[in-house]
Amino acid sequence: MLTQTLDREVVIIGSGPAGLTAAIYAARANLRPLLIDAPSDAERQTTPGGQLMITTEVENYPGFPHSIQGPELMEAFRLQAERFGTEFLEEWITDVDLSERPFILQTGNYTVNAQTLIIATGASAKWLGIPGEAKVPIGFGGNGVSACATCDGPLPGFRNRELVVVGGGDTAIEEATFLTRYASKVYLIHRRDKLRASKIMQDKAFQNKKIEFVWNTGVEEILGEGNSGVTGVRLVNLQTNETRVLPCAGVFIAIGHKPNTDLFKGQIDMDEVGYLITSHRSTATNVPGVFACGDVQDATYRQAVTAAGTGCMAALDAERFLDHLPIPMPTGDEVTIEGEHVTPDHQAIIEPDGTMIPNHVALSAQDE
Ligand SMILES: Cc1cc2nc3c(=O)[nH]c(=O)nc-3n(C[C@H](O)[C@H](O)[C@H](O)COP(=O)(O)OP(=O)(O)OC[C@H]3O[C@@H](n4cnc5c(N)ncnc54)[C@H](O)[C@@H]3O)c2cc1C
């Protein structure tokens, strides 16, 4: 099939808080960014607007003292990016070639040549795939079922109620411990008889009187009622096969996240889970001209405001790069659009052909 070719200075992938913030900054800098986002796909967990599209109340995004609905917030981000001239393309990217600039992105209908690329493809929470877990109105997702305790734990519906956390790793322990600030009790449901979490986190959780561990147990179904939401979970003891209903007001699935980075495997440095590795002082990846922001490079904070913050950084980094200014790399070097590396101590410049030159202007005889 014939594809149309587009040449752009800044291409952004993903329209969550990170991608749209990058778009606002790049558009205001007159870089005419092209933002490519995947269409809605329940199975692949993509929604234009990103993860906040599947939640209701957002209480912690600064600037909204009375909270705001997730989809409403993302609509405002999008309008702001549009206002400054962001161009949007709703397409699946099927292939990328980052071996040289311009980078080549392939979609079903377009070949996009990008001088700089900002990756903001986010991360997807892993789900159990059990009845009751899907988003309202199919299940109780957003009405008692969540994958983010920091985001939803403080909501009024969970305060002084009994809650369930599912999982056995660091995330589950962290979520359960956090929820004890609000809940009257937290049941931690785990398939095995011991936790995978680090020893220090386990010790903290075992000492917390509000956490009750339910071992060797799986969750078969999340139960609830129309508008009022979650009322309990059906548990199965994996050793005896006995089932029982545990009443609760909320279920937090904490079995991990998967960064959306399959597309970039073998082309950009990632950690063992698949999170893109960026420089500590910038959003630069190991590929000069490719920047990453938001949850796709952040296994730690995973919040809308931090995603937006790094989206801003990525746009400023791309702008600097296009202006031929050096960008800090994960190696500690700085690199320019011409491919020159400035060493971490700033003493030397390594040119693309390997020639090394001192990074200072030779003093004239008179100055000496
Ligand atoms: C249920 C829930 C409630 C939450 N509540 C809060 C809250 O109250 N407050 C808060 O601060 N945070 C909250 N969060 C976390 C917050 O949503 C994320 O931290 C934030 O959305 C991350 O933004 P992002 O832009 O990095 O990625 P995302 O929002 O994940 O957006 C990524 C985008 O990339 C697109 N994409 C992925 N792969 C491709 C591809 N191959 N090609 C093209 N496009 C692609 C996706 O379609 C999506 O639009 C919540 C998360 C969840 C799941």
Side-chain angles (χ1 to χ4, degrees):
M1 190 174 65
L2 270 182
T3 58
Q4 196 181 326
T5 301
L6 304 174
D7 297 290
R8 295 290 183 272
E9 282 199 296
V10 178
V11 174
I12 299 162
I13 315 179
S15 69
L20 286 170
T21 304
I24 292 166
Y25 274 77
R28 284 196 78 234
N30 280 337
L31 293 171
R32 295 182 30 79
L34 170 69
L35 188 151
I36 307 177
D37 201 17
S40 268
D41 185 325
E43 206 161 300
R44 292 159 94 173
Q45 287 194 45
T46 55
T47 319
Q51 294 171 62
L52 285 186
M53 298 300 284
I54 61 160
T55 191
T56 48
E57 208 89 352
V58 178
E59 288 189 320
N60 53 9
Y61 200 85
F64 299 93
H66 305 294
S67 85
I68 181 166
Q69 298 289 306
E72 203 184 326
L73 179 62
M74 294 324 298
E75 177 62 17
F77 268 66
R78 191 181 177 101
L79 287 174
Q80 198 170 349
E82 260 168 14
R83 180 178 152 216
F84 296 112
T86 304
E87 190 185 348
F88 288 88
L89 196 61
E90 203 171 292
E91 292 268 328
W92 272 107
I93 298 174
T94 52
D95 199 19
V96 296
D97 180 356
L98 308 179
S99 57
E100 57 182 354
R101 289 191 23 261
F103 308 118
I104 303 171
L105 315 180
Q106 205 66 58
T107 79
N109 299 308
Y110 296 89
T111 300
V112 182
N113 298 322
Q115 289 299 332
T116 57
L117 179 64
I118 296 177
I119 300 171
T121 48
S124 308
K126 291 187 191 161
W127 296 96
L128 296 167
I130 54 171
E133 192 186 43
K135 197 186 164 199
V136 167
I138 299 165
F140 301 99
N143 191 14
V145 179
S146 172
C148 180
T150 319
C151 316
D152 296 331
L155 292 175
F158 297 129
R159 287 181 184 246
N160 301 313
R161 309 289 299 276
E162 297 202 344
L163 305 176
V164 156
V165 171
V166 187
D170 278 345
T171 311
I173 299 300
E174 214 175 291
E175 303 264 282
T177 308
F178 177 81
L179 287 170
T180 57
R181 293 186 198 176
Y182 312 98
S184 54
K185 182 168 189 163
V186 176
Y187 294 96
L188 195 132
I189 316 289
H190 186 38
R191 297 179 63 80
R192 302 179 211 291
D193 60 0
K194 54 171 108 52
L195 300 169
R196 279 178 290 109
S198 55
K199 172 89 173 53
I200 188 163
M201 298 216 33
Q202 292 194 31
D203 289 349
K204 208 173 154 195
F206 289 140
Q207 281 163 21
N208 191 324
K209 295 209 166 27
K210 277 194 180 178
I211 300 178
E212 181 175 328
F213 291 86
V214 184
W215 304 108
N216 299 308
T217 299
V219 183
E220 279 192 337
E221 185 179 359
I222 298 170
L223 309 167
E225 281 158 17
N227 288 340
S228 49
V230 169
T231 55
V233 282
R234 188 186 312 284
L235 301 179
V236 56
N237 182 311
L238 298 170
Q239 290 180 326
T240 62
N241 272 340
E242 269 172 49
T243 60
R244 68 177 169 116
V245 170
L246 176 70
C248 64
V251 181
F252 289 80
I253 312 291
I255 54 173
H257 284 78
K258 184 185 179 304
N260 301 319
T261 53
D262 287 351
L263 202 53
F264 312 108
K265 275 199 177 126
Q267 302 201 54
I268 305 183
D269 286 352
M270 309 178 179
D271 68 11
E272 63 285 357
V273 181
Y275 285 96
L276 300 184
I277 297 172
T278 52
S279 154
H280 292 301
R281 286 186 294 142
S282 83
T283 58
T285 66
N286 65 307
V287 181
V290 178
F291 304 92
C293 53
D295 284 12
V296 75
Q297 52 84 60
D298 174 15
T300 311
Y301 302 106
R302 292 197 299 254
Q303 291 295 292
V305 70
T306 47
T310 53
C312 154
M313 289 164 63
L316 295 178
D317 286 341
E319 189 185 341
R320 269 186 78 91
F321 186 77
L322 290 167
D323 282 345
H324 303 252
L325 297 167
I327 290 290
M329 302 299 287
T331 52
D333 287 9
E334 294 182 4
V335 70
T336 65
I337 196 168
E338 291 86 3
E340 293 169 339
H341 283 254
V342 184
T343 55
D345 59 8
H346 282 210
Q347 293 302 305
I349 295 173
I350 306 163
E351 293 189 330
D353 65 0
T355 316
M356 204 156 187
I357 51 171
N359 185 25
H360 54 76
V361 182
L363 297 173
S364 68
Q366 197 180 2
D367 292 334
E368 284 169 337

